[in-house]
Amino acid sequence: VIHVHTEGKGSVAIFDAIHKLEEALTEDIELPDGYEMILQVPNGVSQILNEEDGTKHAIIGYDFVVFSGYKVKI
């Protein structure tokens, strides 16, 4: 899961931050040599929480599958 916190108060700030995160995760993720990202699946927003100071905090699920080693097609 990825936690998104905002500095601004209100729903606009958290939904803007969620949108920016989703946009950022459309880019290729570079990994060290020997590792390859073979699957990246967003699971959506699971919760948006109201913090004590009036800001919002979103919890967003993502599945990442990283491959390392030999690949064999059977």
Side-chain angles (χ1 to χ4, degrees):
V1 295
I2 299 173
H3 293 255
V4 178
H5 295 267
T6 60
E7 292 181 8
K9 297 182 180 182
S11 297
V12 173
I14 193 67
F15 285 111
D16 186 45
I18 291 168
H19 178 71
K20 287 179 182 177
L21 172 67
E22 290 170 343
E23 287 275 322
L25 288 172
T26 63
E27 298 292 324
D28 289 338
I29 296 174
E30 293 185 29
L31 298 173
D33 289 339
Y35 295 91
E36 182 181 347
M37 175 82 64
I38 59 171
L39 183 65
Q40 178 179 332
V41 179
N43 296 323
V45 176
S46 62
Q47 285 184 306
I48 296 178
L49 306 169
N50 293 314
E51 299 295 332
E52 290 180 10
D53 63 358
T55 61
K56 295 198 182 269
H57 165 198
I59 302 172
I60 304 168
Y62 270 87
D63 289 333
F64 298 97
V65 177
V66 177
F67 184 81
S68 171
Y70 297 108
K71 275 204 268 191
V72 178
K73 185 175 180 179
I74 298 175

